[in-house]
Amino acid sequence: MNKRRLQFVIFCSLLVAFLMIAGSVGAAPKDVPLVSVSADQSEYSANQEVLITVTLSNPTKHSVRILEWFTPENGVEEPIFTVTVNGEPVSYIGAIYKRPAATGSDYITLKAGETVTYIVNLGDVYDLSTSGEYKIFYDASSYNLYTEKGNGASRPDSLTSEPLSLKVEGRAPKGKPTPPPPPPPGGNAFNACSVTQQSILTNARNQAKFYASGADNYLLTKIFSTRYLTWFGPFDATRYSTVTTHFTAIFNAWDTAGVNFDCSCKQNYYAYVYPNKPYYIYLCRVFWNVPLAGTDSQGGTLIHEMSHFNVVASTDDFVYGQAGAKNLAISNPDNAVMNADNHEYFAENNPSLP
């Protein structure tokens, strides 16, 4: 196939995918829940926990669903708040997870007129070390927020509240307790991992390093092809540079960083990390049941998790799964180049794309 014909095929594929997505815009429900945040007091000293109340209510005449991950149903597992202090953004210090694609069982249902409330200790998941005027918004956003089928739109659905203003005296950030010192450069350390799990993780790290090296070398050739288009969307010099920088950092981390692996997680996820605490990776139940290489593999999962660390690529989880990642590359490539699964699938390259 000559170069001009290849370009034409790529263009047609992109156009068809775009039209399919555009045709499904509006699939999300029109009636959605409401959310508010409140607190029992307006000022907090350094020795007081900043407890806020989240209220989700359904004002409609029918049931509505919300993806559980973007609620405090099981504690805060995503950065579902936007927090500022004195007008400056506040860092999320909670965990970020790699999960299987959402299914119906991952949603909570609010019946017509139903209201639920949750108490959240804000200091557990956001850095409240600076004294000042805090503004807190509930600000959940996902393409699958209301349906596992996705909204088919170019932008994710969102669930936001009015701001809550509080005066807070700074305190030491909490989050997860500080992990133990890392092993020597390029080495591994293990917590709660069996001998078998340690062997699996050693092989998975080697696979992740292999994937990262291949992706980095591919990007450094600056050859724009179907593989890049599929996972990161139409070529843009700034986005291409961002992805290249990410994979160079991911490879360097797997090549030289001392990594702590923790096998104590029993949740039905692949893995999770605290982005501000490199290089400590928690492996969960799904991880042990997937192959070493291939789609959503052990090696690919480690690429995904390494990309989350702030000192590496600071990626987010806008969507999960290959279908969602492909759609994101078309509908919102700016988000695709910051989505962890897009990095994983580009590195795994399965099925292989030219």
Side-chain angles (χ1 to χ4, degrees):
M1 183 181 294
N2 61 40
K3 182 177 180 181
R4 179 171 295 180
R5 180 168 176 77
L6 176 60
Q7 290 173 334
F8 176 75
V9 170
I10 292 173
F11 170 77
C12 289
S13 300
L14 179 62
L15 179 61
V16 169
F18 174 79
L19 290 174
M20 289 175 64
I21 290 176
S24 62
V25 171
K30 294 180 180 179
D31 297 325
V32 297
L34 300 177
V35 62
S36 64
V37 291
S38 60
D40 290 337
Q41 58 196 76
S42 60
E43 297 187 19
Y44 292 83
S45 63
N47 60 0
Q48 290 180 301
E49 303 283 16
V50 181
L51 302 178
I52 63 173
T53 300
V54 175
T55 302
L56 292 171
S57 58
N58 176 11
T60 75
K61 297 180 179 180
H62 55 80
S63 296
V64 297
R65 300 193 307 158
I66 313 169
L67 186 54
E68 185 178 82
W69 310 333
F70 294 94
T71 75
E73 178 75 15
N74 293 313
V76 176
E77 295 185 341
E78 291 285 340
I80 57 175
F81 300 95
T82 293
V83 183
T84 62
V85 56
N86 305 322
E88 297 297 321
V90 170
S91 297
Y92 173 75
I93 58 174
I96 294 184
Y97 296 82
K98 173 175 168 61
R99 301 178 174 94
T103 65
S105 62
D106 294 312
Y107 289 76
I108 63 171
T109 299
L110 295 181
K111 298 177 182 179
E114 184 179 3
T115 295
V116 294
T117 60
Y118 307 95
I119 303 297
V120 174
N121 188 336
L122 198 66
D124 284 344
V125 286
Y126 286 86
D127 182 354
L128 305 184
S129 58
T130 300
S131 297
E133 184 80 19
Y134 280 76
K135 288 190 181 296
I136 301 105
F137 300 79
Y138 194 96
D139 191 16
S141 177
S142 172
Y143 291 88
N144 300 99
L145 191 59
Y146 302 121
T147 171
E148 64 272 27
K149 297 177 182 178
N151 67 3
S154 60
R155 294 181 181 276
D157 285 319
S158 61
L159 181 61
T160 59
S161 71
E162 294 296 319
L164 171 66
S165 295
L166 302 174
K167 289 184 178 180
V168 177
E169 188 177 14
R171 73 283 312 283
K174 294 168 67 176
K176 193 70 177 178
T178 301
N188 301 322
F190 304 97
N191 178 57
C193 301
S194 68
V195 173
T196 299
Q197 288 173 325
Q198 292 180 36
S199 176
I200 290 171
L201 286 167
T202 299
N203 292 333
R205 176 174 184 160
N206 290 334
Q207 183 65 39
K209 181 179 174 180
F210 173 77
Y211 275 151
S213 175
D216 188 39
N217 290 333
Y218 173 94
L219 290 162
L220 291 173
T221 64
K222 297 184 179 180
I223 297 175
F224 173 60
S225 75
T226 305
R227 180 178 174 185
Y228 179 88
L229 171 71
T230 299
W231 301 117
F232 296 116
F235 178 80
D236 171 88
T238 300
R239 289 196 295 263
Y240 194 94
S241 176
T242 296
V243 176
T244 303
T245 300
H246 287 178
F247 272 104
T248 298
I250 292 168
F251 169 73
N252 287 339
W254 283 121
D255 188 37
T256 64
V259 178
N260 284 286
F261 293 108
D262 190 302
C263 304
S264 61
C265 173
K266 304 304 179 185
Q267 293 167 288
N268 196 37
Y269 303 149
Y270 286 85
Y272 68 94
V273 299
Y274 292 84
N276 64 328
K277 295 188 182 299
Y279 299 92
Y280 206 103
I281 300 176
Y282 298 80
L283 294 316
C284 302
R285 288 172 56 189
V286 176
F287 179 85
W288 308 110
N289 297 319
V290 297
L292 175 66
T295 302
D296 288 314
S297 61
Q298 293 170 346
T301 294
L302 295 188
I303 292 286
H304 177 117
E305 296 306 325
M306 185 61 74
S307 77
H308 276 319
F309 290 120
N310 294 337
V311 298
V312 178
S314 196
T315 60
D316 208 328
D317 287 320
F318 293 105
V319 299
Y320 293 105
Q322 279 200 339
K326 288 179 180 179
N327 287 340
L328 189 65
I330 297 167
S331 64
N332 196 327
D334 287 340
N335 281 357
V337 303
M338 293 304 300
N339 190 58
D341 259 4
N342 287 68
H343 287 71
E344 175 179 342
Y345 298 136
F346 178 84
E348 290 171 338
N349 194 29
N350 184 57
S352 180
L353 297 172

